[in-house]
Amino acid sequence: MTDPEKKLDEIVLTRLLRLNAKVQGLVTGIVLGLVIFVATNWLIFKGPSVGKEGQPVLGPHLGLLGQYFIGYRVTFLGSIVGFVYGFALGFFVGYSLSSLYNWFVNRKERS
Amino acid sequence: MPIKQTSMSEQEIQEKQFVIIGAGPAGLTAAYELAKHNLRPVVLELGDKVGGLARTENYQGFHFDMGGHRFFTKVNEVSKMWHEVLDGNFLRRPRLSRIYYNCKFFSYPLKPINTLLGLGFWESTCILLSYLKWQVFPYRQEDTFEEWVTNRFGKRLFQTFFKTYTEKVWGISCSELKAEWAAQRIKNLSLKTALISMFVKPANTIKTLIEEFDYPRLGPGMMWKAVQTEIERNNGVVQLNSDVVQINRVGNQIESIVISENGNSKRIEGTHFISSMALTDFVKRLKPEAPAEVVRAAERLKYRDFLTVCLIVNKPDLFPDNWIYVHDPTVKVGRIQNFKNWSPDMVPDVTKTSLGLEYFCTAGDELWNMSDAELIELGKREVQQIGLARYSDVESGCVFRVPKSYPIYDSDYRDSLATLKTFVNGLENFQTIGRNGLHRYNNQDHAMLTGMLAVRNLVLGERNDLWNVNADQEYHEEIRVDAELLSADVVESLEGALASVFLKLDRVAFGLSLGTLSGLGLFLATLILLFKGGDVVGPNLELLSHYFPGYGVSTAGGVIALFYGFLVGFSIGWGFAFLRNAAVFLYAAAVHRRAELYVLRKFLEYF
């Protein structure tokens, strides 16, 4: 067995995975943005439910996201705003998670 | 990679006189290469024809290939030489081979459904149960070939398809046969080979290579006769019936060779010597003798021999296979060649068929010592018993004995070979080549490559390591073809991608990262609500206190959330990385196993 043939085996057995922060950020951002977008539109599609006092209520719990995402509401426009916020938050989380992970791994391999 | 040391002047090269022992594929290739450099080698051959283990014998105009040699190689230089010498005389032949066991024929390479159907319901059930048993309770150590195969296929299938044939070929029990002999090649099957074979779908060309092969119209001997002619045309000498009886050395130099020719001794001088004779025989003939430990090491090397009983059958067609592996223990024959299916030109009369019944034996044992008449009789009885031809249809036959056809990899061979290697490498004007010269189970193409490299070492001063010409490569040939037909760039990028996908995710690092982010996220979420204020601050977020005792939407609660968030995030991250690594490992192991089984299914081919 030649050395180049064994190279991949050695790499796989001895090295640790590094994450691509940008890709990870992009993927997490898109997923979170889409989750909020779909969840919001799903509630709109279902229509309002009846509140405790008989009034129509549309997505009272999801609407709480508005506490953090200024301008977000359970409306179609809100779903677009939610997508933007979700994407931004997801990108930040994915990017930070990967960067932090790579930093820890680099430190571990150096020590 | 060869290291080019010095390049000699044309005059220096011309002053050299090369003597080559053995006119098999390795020796003749070396001579052919020398002839290309306008040198005039002298080739000494013990037999009455060229070709060595790849010779073609002739009986009543029928051609018999000693072993069945498919012309398929990954070595470009070898392929080039084949077509240079025999262009236009190669036939592209379809390949069919089956296993005969328990009065039935099974597809080879083994196909699970065909195998199970052929064996019948009861035997198949036993095989499946045995397989399951050995998957659950495998041998803890895989020291022998039997243990290694049993752990992968179960004992029952091993006994059916591996045991009898392996023991016929090697003459020793599978429980004595070191796993190293065969399994090392499969064990060493690299992840890269396995993965690439999974990701790259075979193209038609690959299928063609597997299902068809090239074959000289009149067998491999045709190739070697053509090479002999070419050498002689360039004023080289190929001397047949020359028994090398003594090899004279002075210090670290071979000085001359003494041959016995029709009872007369003749001394042949040379400046450089190449030998493909078995290492055992080479050491025996040295004068003065080699050191005692070298002689002992040479004596410890063992070989397996075989004989071919050639039968001419008065029938135009017998069976469609090129060859049949005979696993059935009720007959002694190991493999049956149908030469008409290798090349129609091997048989001069279309109304007849020629068969080669191969019996694996050891020189001096019962089979080897049987007379030709007894062996022909045995062959006739066995082809009838197997049902391939009627006894009365066999009109004549002959026997060819092929000594030292397989170097044996027993438990001693590695140490003995190391001693011999050190000694032989110390001989300055000498190169040992070929299957028996290197005691390595090389096929024809790799034997030829050793001949080519030996010439480069002696003529061009290169330092190619002939002992490492890779015989193992053959075992992965067909799997490897997938990757090798791709361009180097594609393979490189594929390797890079595979490397980045299959690396381990560090559990602690991933846990720490997710923990840090979760903790900070909760901390910030709490602070934001605090900052926004209101009559009732964060009633919904506060619900977290159901899970995080002590948590509240307050500054202190934020710190507690940081702590809890870190703990939960760390646990999830660690767990995710663990599961992801396990999944990747299981996937890679499954891919590897699949490739391993693929090679094993085709294993008999490499005997």
Side-chain angles (χ1 to χ4, degrees):
Chain A
M1 191 78 54
T2 54
D3 284 337
E5 193 61 27
K6 278 290 189 192
K7 213 174 83 187
L8 185 67
D9 301 45
E10 281 168 19
I11 291 172
V12 168
L13 291 173
T14 55
R15 293 198 202 156
L16 291 169
L17 182 71
R18 299 295 196 284
L19 298 174
N20 185 318
K22 281 181 194 162
V23 171
Q24 205 71 30
L26 213 61
V27 170
T28 318
I30 291 170
V31 170
L32 191 60
L34 280 177
V35 165
I36 295 173
F37 180 81
V38 172
T40 308
N41 284 303
W42 177 249
L43 291 181
I44 297 168
F45 174 75
K46 274 178 66 182
S49 54
V50 182
K52 279 180 188 170
E53 291 161 13
Q55 81 284 21
V57 185
L58 189 59
H61 297 105
L62 196 61
L64 290 170
L65 274 181
Q67 297 277 337
Y68 301 102
F69 299 162
I70 298 160
Y72 173 76
R73 284 171 187 201
V74 185
T75 60
F76 179 71
L77 192 63
S79 73
I80 293 169
V81 173
F83 177 84
V84 175
Y85 274 117
F87 178 81
L89 180 67
F91 185 87
F92 174 77
V93 169
Y95 190 90
S96 311
L97 182 74
S98 307
S99 306
L100 261 177
Y101 167 82
N102 291 344
W103 184 76
F104 281 124
V105 168
N106 287 339
R107 275 184 66 91
K108 190 176 176 178
E109 281 196 340
R110 270 203 300 270
S111 62
Chain B
M1 284 294 286
I3 303 161
K4 197 167 180 175
Q5 212 185 23
T6 50
S7 193
M8 300 184 186
S9 70
E10 195 59 27
Q11 194 190 346
E12 277 176 313
I13 290 173
Q14 292 302 323
E15 282 168 2
K16 292 180 176 182
Q17 176 58 55
F18 290 85
V19 180
I20 298 169
I21 305 172
L28 284 180
T29 302
Y32 181 80
E33 290 293 309
L34 287 167
K36 272 190 183 172
H37 286 88
N38 295 320
L39 294 163
R40 293 164 191 166
V42 175
V43 184
L44 306 168
E45 168 57 39
L46 173 66
D48 62 355
K49 57 175 66 66
V50 294
L53 294 171
R55 69 181 181 274
T56 300
E57 294 283 0
N58 194 302
Y59 173 70
Q60 292 182 358
F62 289 81
H63 298 269
F64 295 94
D65 177 355
M66 296 296 101
H69 293 82
R70 278 185 294 157
F71 280 62
F72 170 62
T73 184
K74 308 296 282 305
V75 185
N76 287 335
E77 294 98 316
V78 169
S79 177
K80 198 175 145 206
M81 181 179 156
W82 283 344
H83 289 94
E84 211 169 76
V85 176
L86 269 197
D87 205 21
N89 277 304
F90 274 118
L91 302 176
R92 178 57 63 94
R93 302 299 297 160
R95 170 248 165 93
L96 175 67
S97 51
R98 287 179 295 167
I99 289 173
Y100 175 77
Y101 175 77
N102 204 15
C103 303
K104 291 193 180 88
F105 290 93
F106 297 88
S107 297
Y108 187 79
L110 293 173
K111 291 174 185 161
I113 300 295
N114 168 278
T115 306
L116 293 177
L117 286 176
L119 288 169
F121 177 75
W122 173 244
E123 186 60 23
S124 302
T125 309
C126 290
I127 282 173
L128 284 173
L129 290 174
S130 162
Y131 172 77
L132 291 174
K133 180 201 157 186
W134 289 98
Q135 290 303 300
V136 180
F137 306 108
Y139 285 116
R140 292 203 170 180
Q141 275 201 308
E142 297 173 345
D143 290 333
T144 66
F145 179 63
E146 176 172 349
E147 289 164 353
W148 198 90
V149 179
T150 300
N151 276 358
R152 277 148 189 83
F153 282 108
K155 184 76 99 188
R156 193 99 180 179
L157 199 65
F158 161 74
Q159 283 168 340
T160 308
F161 284 113
F162 290 89
K163 186 176 162 63
T164 38
Y165 189 75
T166 308
E167 289 179 356
K168 269 185 192 178
V169 174
W170 294 104
I172 52 174
S173 160
C174 285
S175 57
E176 289 171 46
L177 202 59
K178 287 278 165 197
E180 177 195 16
W181 162 71
Q184 71 175 5
R185 288 147 180 160
I186 297 173
K187 274 180 181 168
N188 285 347
L189 186 67
S190 75
L191 187 63
K192 175 185 144 191
T193 309
L195 287 173
I196 290 182
S197 72
M198 291 292 290
F199 284 103
V200 181
K201 291 207 169 180
N204 285 337
T205 40
I206 297 163
K207 200 173 167 224
T208 306
L209 286 174
I210 293 166
E211 292 177 359
E212 295 177 334
F213 58 87
D214 283 337
Y215 194 70
R217 217 168 35 77
L218 295 173
M222 186 184 196
M223 159 73 64
W224 301 116
K225 275 187 189 159
V227 172
Q228 177 188 5
T229 307
E230 198 59 26
I231 294 164
E232 288 169 345
R233 201 174 60 82
N234 284 291
N235 299 317
V237 176
V238 179
Q239 213 167 304
L240 303 174
N241 302 307
S242 302
D243 186 8
V244 173
V245 291
Q246 191 173 303
I247 298 167
N248 298 317
R249 72 182 172 106
V250 178
N252 292 333
Q253 299 265 334
I254 304 288
E255 192 192 40
S256 61
I257 283 173
V258 179
I259 58 165
S260 165
E261 206 179 21
N262 305 320
N264 300 319
S265 288
K266 189 174 160 190
R267 188 183 168 98
I268 295 175
E269 309 278 347
T271 58
H272 292 81
F273 296 83
I274 297 174
S275 164
S276 65
M277 78 194 305
L279 278 170
T280 313
D281 299 331
F282 170 74
V283 171
K284 254 190 222 166
R285 284 160 175 73
L286 281 173
K287 194 177 179 183
E289 264 191 15
E293 73 270 17
V294 175
V295 174
R296 277 197 300 274
E299 284 167 354
R300 278 199 299 268
L301 292 184
K302 295 189 186 77
Y303 303 86
R304 188 77 170 146
D305 316 284
F306 87 93
L307 55 87
T308 301
V309 175
C310 301
L311 300 179
I312 296 168
V313 185
N314 199 9
K315 287 275 172 194
D317 291 304
L318 291 176
F319 52 91
D321 310 64
N322 307 98
W323 68 92
I324 291 172
Y325 297 101
V326 184
H327 288 217
D328 205 297
T330 60
V331 289
K332 288 183 175 163
V333 64
R335 201 166 51 186
I336 299 175
Q337 307 282 351
N338 184 345
F339 294 114
K340 202 174 189 178
N341 293 338
W342 284 80
S343 162
D345 294 343
M346 299 281 276
V347 179
D349 182 345
V350 289
T351 63
K352 291 173 184 169
T353 303
S354 61
L355 300 180
L357 280 64
E358 296 173 357
Y359 291 87
F360 304 100
C361 49
T362 302
D365 71 8
E366 191 195 340
L367 265 172
W368 185 267
N369 286 338
M370 282 168 79
S371 68
D372 287 5
E374 287 170 327
L375 284 166
I376 292 166
E377 193 56 28
L378 176 71
K380 285 162 77 175
R381 278 201 315 270
E382 293 198 335
V383 285
Q384 167 145 312
Q385 186 180 334
I386 295 170
L388 296 176
R390 281 192 305 197
Y391 182 94
S392 54
D393 286 336
V394 180
E395 61 175 41
S396 65
C398 63
V399 177
F400 296 104
R401 289 173 171 78
V402 187
K404 293 193 173 68
S405 38
Y406 300 104
I408 293 182
Y409 289 4
D410 59 12
S411 50
D412 288 338
Y413 100 96
R414 208 175 267 278
D415 292 340
S416 306
L417 199 59
T419 308
L420 288 163
K421 189 174 163 182
T422 310
F423 173 73
V424 168
N425 286 349
L427 298 171
E428 290 162 6
N429 61 341
F430 176 77
Q431 298 275 305
T432 184
I433 56 172
R435 180 183 277 193
N436 285 333
L438 296 161
H439 201 80
R440 200 162 166 81
Y441 193 30
N442 284 330
N443 280 341
Q444 181 178 232
D445 56 340
H446 285 106
M448 289 172 68
L449 185 61
T450 62
M452 290 175 180
L453 296 178
V455 169
R456 285 192 220 160
N457 286 354
L458 293 177
V459 176
L460 303 172
E462 290 181 3
R463 282 185 174 177
N464 300 290
D465 186 359
L466 309 187
W467 304 90
N468 277 340
V469 169
N470 197 359
D472 302 350
Q473 186 184 346
E474 294 294 326
Y475 289 77
H476 311 303
E477 208 163 64
E478 285 159 9
I479 281 190
R480 208 182 285 239
V481 167
D482 301 0
E484 290 189 4
L485 286 184
L486 299 172
S487 72
D489 292 351
V490 175
V491 171
E492 201 176 316
S493 58
L494 197 55
E495 271 184 63
L498 290 173
S500 62
V501 167
F502 285 89
L503 292 183
K504 272 197 304 185
L505 197 59
D506 189 90
R507 284 169 296 177
V508 175
F510 199 71
L512 283 174
S513 323
L514 196 61
T516 307
L517 278 179
S518 310
L520 283 175
L522 278 181
F523 179 69
L524 282 176
T526 309
L527 287 192
I528 287 170
L529 291 184
L530 268 179
F531 179 75
K532 286 178 79 176
D535 294 338
V536 183
V537 182
N540 294 298
L541 196 61
E542 197 151 303
L543 291 172
L544 274 180
S545 62
H546 285 296
Y547 303 100
F548 301 161
Y551 173 73
V553 182
S554 63
T555 315
V559 176
I560 290 170
L562 181 71
F563 171 73
Y564 277 120
F566 178 81
L567 266 187
V568 172
F570 181 85
S571 308
I572 292 174
W574 193 94
F576 172 82
F578 176 83
L579 289 174
R580 183 259 176 207
N581 288 347
V584 168
F585 173 78
L586 287 175
Y587 178 75
V591 167
H592 198 266
R593 176 71 179 253
R594 197 169 140 180
E596 211 175 62
L597 291 181
Y598 176 81
V599 175
L600 202 54
R601 274 174 53 219
K602 300 179 71 69
F603 199 61
L604 300 176
E605 218 150 304
Y606 306 109
F607 279 78

